[in-house]
Amino acid sequence: MAPREAGEDAGVAGAASAGASAGASGTAGEAPAALAPRARLWPSLAAVYRAQLSRARVARIPLLFVATFQSLGIMVLMRGVVDGGAESRAVVAGSAVLVVAFVALNLLAQYFGQLRAGGGLDHYATLPVPAAAVVLGAAGAYASFTVPGVLVTAVAGGVLYQLPLSGLWVLVAVVPLAGAALAGLGAALGLLAPKPEIATLCGQLGMSAALLLGVLPGGRLPQPVGLLRDLLPSTYGVEALARAFEVRPDWGLAALDLAVCAAVGVASLALATWAYRRAAVR
């Protein structure tokens, strides 16, 4: 392990156990003190998030450029194909959420696959942090890189397809909820895959599904493909964002889409936490 990574992980351990170690030491001649209580989730989560964010900062610009450039390219290519209306809204919303899928699903699957294969997962398992803090911290750090790209893609798409931009405030909810759902799925794929190559393949297939099923209106797809689209975690974030591009958005349906996206996010992060515990003991 590189010295920088070791120092960051040591900071994770120190920050996570700072609130849990009070009262654990005793003076000479006294009875041994009781073991410190378990590290709390939120301080541990904040420590892991800061460490992961600092570690991935070097690759931030290339990640943002690649994720944003491919989404902008898709919108330009589709400009001569769609007629407007629901199709235009679906293309712009799907391209914006694709930035989240590229980072939170594809790259996170690769990260956890490599972490498991390289023995880094064993090191994390020895730190005094809950399993959920490791998964949520890494997922949050990777999803944070998508915010500028999603905003640029949504604004550029709205201008390109002449869509109203007044409802883009919904991105405040779409990005974290879709990011949580996709990051949980990406982490689970990386942790459950037996080899890092398979984790990479699964992440790329998931991103391809988000691309192919996210930029097309659900009503235009065959029924079997439409069912697959409904199972994709990012679908509901795409639907909510597409409604925001309407002249008179139906915010009730948008809120329902976001609620489903939140429920899927909780389920996918719970799956990723279980996969982390499973991989850590093997």
Side-chain angles (χ1 to χ4, degrees):
M1 181 176 294
R4 179 185 175 188
E5 295 187 359
E8 290 171 350
D9 290 335
V12 172
S17 61
S21 60
S25 62
T27 57
E30 295 180 355
L35 292 176
R38 226 178 129 81
R40 291 176 296 172
L41 174 63
W42 292 112
S44 303
L45 172 60
V48 174
Y49 174 81
R50 288 194 300 268
Q52 290 291 338
L53 199 63
S54 175
R55 181 175 299 173
R57 189 175 299 167
V58 177
R60 177 175 57 185
I61 295 179
L63 290 180
L64 289 177
F65 176 79
V66 172
T68 307
F69 181 77
Q70 71 174 0
S71 293
L72 293 175
I74 290 169
M75 291 192 301
V76 172
L77 290 175
M78 295 293 291
R79 184 66 181 88
V81 178
V82 300
D83 296 329
E87 293 180 349
S88 297
R89 294 192 294 270
V91 169
V92 177
S95 299
V97 177
L98 182 62
V99 179
V100 182
F102 178 82
V103 177
L105 176 57
N106 184 25
L107 296 183
L108 200 60
Q110 297 180 35
Y111 170 74
F112 272 106
Q114 294 171 357
L115 194 68
R116 179 183 178 185
L121 199 64
D122 299 331
H123 174 74
Y124 268 106
T126 63
L127 297 177
V129 294
V134 177
V135 174
L136 291 174
Y142 272 73
S144 296
F145 290 120
T146 67
V147 175
V150 172
L151 184 60
V152 170
T153 302
V155 173
V159 173
L160 181 64
Y161 287 85
Q162 298 180 352
L163 300 174
L165 302 178
S166 59
L168 283 186
W169 58 265
V170 78
L171 286 174
V172 175
V174 170
V175 172
L177 293 179
L182 292 171
L185 180 59
L189 291 175
L191 291 167
L192 294 175
K195 295 181 179 180
E197 294 82 6
I198 297 179
T200 300
L201 176 62
C202 291
Q204 291 177 348
L205 289 176
M207 189 195 68
S208 299
L211 166 61
L212 297 176
L213 301 178
V215 299
L216 298 175
R220 296 293 186 91
L221 300 175
Q223 185 175 3
V225 180
L227 293 176
L228 291 176
R229 184 176 184 270
D230 292 338
L231 295 175
L232 192 66
S234 60
T235 296
Y236 304 98
V238 173
E239 293 290 342
L241 182 56
R243 297 184 195 281
F245 284 116
E246 297 177 357
V247 178
R248 293 182 177 85
D250 189 337
W251 295 117
L253 290 178
L256 180 60
D257 289 328
L258 292 174
V260 175
C261 190
V264 174
V266 171
S268 65
L269 289 172
L271 175 63
T273 302
W274 171 82
Y276 172 82
R277 293 194 181 101
R278 179 177 179 270
V281 298
R282 290 195 169 188

